[in-house]
Amino acid sequence: MDEEKNRSTILLGVGGGVAAFKAVQLTSSLNQAGFAIHVAMSPAAQKFVTPLSFEAVSNRPVLTVVFPSNPDDNPESVYPHLYPATRADIFILAPATADLIGKIAHGLGNEIVSASALSLPSRCQRFFCPAMNVEMWHQPTVQKNVATLESLGWKRIGPDEGHLACGVVGEGRMTEPERIFEIVLHSQTATGRLDKKRILILSGPTIEPIDPVRFISNHSSGKMGKALAQGAVAAGAHVEFITGPVPDENLPCHDDITISHVTTADSMLAAAQKKYAKADVIIFVAAVADYRPSETNDTKTAKPTELFTLTLTKTPDIAAILNSSKRKNQISIGFALETDGEARAKARKKLVAKNLDAIILNGTDSFGANTGEFTWINGSCDETETHWGKLEKVKCAQNVIQLVSKLLEETE
């Protein structure tokens, strides 16, 4: 429980259909995004995919029965249909079979998935992803049950049209895991709306070449920038995303995210200068190299027999340069990575020097990781600090987006 207190809890109910294999990928994506993901499998689902597959990608035991054969004294073991259901922030039924849709619509709970659905708190967001034969999908009774769930606040995702496992072509395919993941992620920023706002995010590392082979850089993975971009579009914004070199899996993907790839600090500054004026919010999360070689060789530098001296020049302070022309109604947020006892003082100096409205302090533990230790530090008008502690980067991004939306409201 303690490690999940700062994470949104998702309970995924897996129904008995061929599409159950897609739920494994969905579970993995949600886990990697930082959600506390739990899985409950109906008896029929276990005929298609083993619980072990879900345990491997969720890092948690899978719920398979209402009455465990050997429960311990822990209430969560005795009542698996209540825990984690009663503390779930999100419930996803995928695949949602005709059988499970009917049970839940009529308040029946004779196995772990439907029983868990009956135990959800009122605040829990509910999604269902139908998957079945096209004729089953169009049955009036099934459509009536679907309408009942929707009238109760359940959000339907799909089904899609295409080739079905039974050999026919038509409506009934479960929506692809990537799309389900995107919709669920979008649902998490309801309290911080950025509708029609333009967000400029600078992300990832920069690399400063020494020669065609060697360069100066750092360990930035781009994961924090990705989380911020996804959180911003989830809140309704359009994102201009400028990134240094990172793996493809650390890049955000959405129709409302425009990605510009750069390498050096100079190229990142040049790209940002073209987009800065139109941005409502600018988030500086990029780990820009502080120095670059004074001279760059066109050919590989020969290995010297003695000591090698490399003369360095400071790279441009991108945030300070851009924010020198910041408008009153623009919001500018920075990140500061510090390693010593003067971390907060140094972060505050950067906040003032770079003309930021707020800065997020973090440490080296966040490099390449899905988590980090984060502290929100407000600007000069309100010098309060909020120590968030160790958070998943997705949760940190949600916090940032919500606070940014409040800052925007104050400027309007």
Side-chain angles (χ1 to χ4, degrees):
M1 284 287 292
D2 288 342
E3 71 274 13
E4 295 183 5
K5 65 182 179 180
N6 289 320
R7 306 169 66 184
S8 294
T9 297
I10 295 181
L11 178 56
L12 173 65
V14 184
V18 175
F21 78 92
K22 292 183 179 180
V24 178
Q25 181 182 339
L26 176 60
T27 302
S28 178
S29 297
L30 292 167
N31 185 49
Q32 291 179 41
F35 293 99
I37 175 74
H38 299 259
V39 178
M41 299 181 70
S42 72
Q46 296 168 53
K47 301 290 186 181
F48 290 92
V49 182
T50 67
L52 182 61
S53 296
F54 287 98
E55 289 182 8
V57 294
S58 70
N59 302 316
R60 291 177 176 82
V62 172
L63 308 177
T64 57
V65 294
V66 175
F67 302 106
S69 56
N70 296 301
D72 54 34
D73 293 333
N74 187 336
E76 298 194 15
S77 175
V78 178
Y79 307 110
H81 67 291
L82 297 178
Y83 306 99
T86 53
R87 63 171 183 266
D89 299 298
I90 302 169
F91 181 85
I92 308 170
L93 186 61
T97 61
D99 177 63
L100 282 173
I101 291 173
K103 286 180 185 177
I104 297 172
H106 288 86
L108 304 178
N110 65 345
E111 41 70 45
I112 190 64
V113 175
S114 56
S116 295
L118 294 178
S119 305
L120 300 171
S122 59
R123 61 172 172 76
C124 180
Q125 291 183 291
R126 296 160 170 82
F127 299 87
F128 69 114
C129 311
M132 63 194 75
N133 170 270
V134 62
E135 299 300 338
M136 294 175 67
W137 172 245
H138 288 294
Q139 286 294 323
T141 52
V142 172
Q143 289 300 307
K144 184 177 180 180
N145 291 336
V146 167
T148 297
L149 287 187
E150 291 181 314
S151 71
L152 294 172
W154 287 69
K155 298 177 182 178
R156 176 166 62 88
I157 304 175
D160 296 341
E161 291 189 8
H163 288 275
L164 306 180
C166 57
V168 302
V169 177
E171 197 174 15
R173 284 175 60 90
M174 187 176 110
T175 299
E176 293 304 312
E178 295 88 350
R179 178 57 181 159
I180 298 172
F181 172 80
E182 180 181 280
I183 292 172
V184 171
L185 191 66
H186 281 203
S187 74
Q188 292 303 284
T189 51
T191 57
R193 303 308 302 168
L194 298 175
D195 293 322
K196 299 180 181 179
K197 299 297 183 182
R198 300 184 70 86
I199 314 298
L200 173 60
I201 298 176
L202 279 60
S203 178
T206 63
I207 62 173
E208 309 297 331
I210 298 171
D211 58 32
V213 178
R214 305 176 182 91
F215 56 83
I216 297 172
S217 190
N218 55 65
H219 298 293
S220 175
S221 64
K223 290 182 178 179
M224 189 70 249
K226 175 182 178 180
L228 287 163
Q230 291 178 327
V233 295
H238 174 77
V239 174
E240 294 284 353
F241 192 78
I242 301 175
T243 177
V246 299
D248 288 345
E249 61 265 26
N250 293 346
L251 292 174
C253 181
H254 191 275
D255 291 342
D256 285 324
I257 300 176
T258 302
I259 299 179
S260 300
H261 296 273
V262 299
T263 52
T264 65
D266 285 337
S267 60
M268 180 171 282
L269 173 60
Q273 285 174 323
K274 296 176 182 178
K275 302 176 185 295
Y276 182 88
K278 293 183 178 180
D280 299 294
V281 177
I282 307 93
I283 304 179
F284 297 94
V285 68
V288 180
D290 295 315
Y291 297 92
R292 60 176 174 80
S294 299
E295 296 182 358
T296 301
N297 294 326
D298 294 330
T299 58
K300 181 182 176 182
T301 306
K303 184 177 180 179
T305 56
E306 302 296 335
L307 293 177
F308 175 65
T309 300
L310 184 64
T311 304
L312 302 177
T313 302
K314 280 189 176 181
T315 56
D317 188 331
I318 296 176
I321 293 172
L322 293 175
N323 285 340
S324 64
S325 60
K326 188 175 72 167
R327 304 188 308 272
K328 288 184 178 180
N329 62 345
Q330 277 183 313
I331 300 299
S332 181
I333 308 295
F335 277 71
L337 190 149
E338 301 294 344
T339 61
D340 58 30
E342 300 298 318
R344 280 176 168 76
K346 290 181 177 179
R348 284 204 170 276
K349 286 184 67 175
K350 289 182 178 180
L351 188 151
V352 175
K354 298 174 187 290
N355 195 19
L356 299 167
D357 295 284
I359 196 165
I360 296 96
L361 175 65
N362 64 322
T364 55
D365 61 322
S366 65
F367 266 143
N370 293 322
T371 61
E373 191 90 10
F374 299 101
T375 299
W376 170 275
I377 302 175
N378 283 325
S380 56
C381 294
D382 180 1
E383 296 187 355
T384 59
E385 298 180 3
T386 303
H387 181 57
W388 290 333
K390 191 167 186 178
L391 295 178
E392 297 287 336
K393 289 182 176 178
V394 168
K395 179 61 177 177
C396 176
Q398 292 170 9
N399 291 350
V400 172
I401 295 303
Q402 290 174 10
L403 288 169
V404 163
S405 68
K406 292 179 180 179
L407 290 173
L408 278 172
E409 289 175 4
E410 293 171 3
T411 65
E412 295 176 350

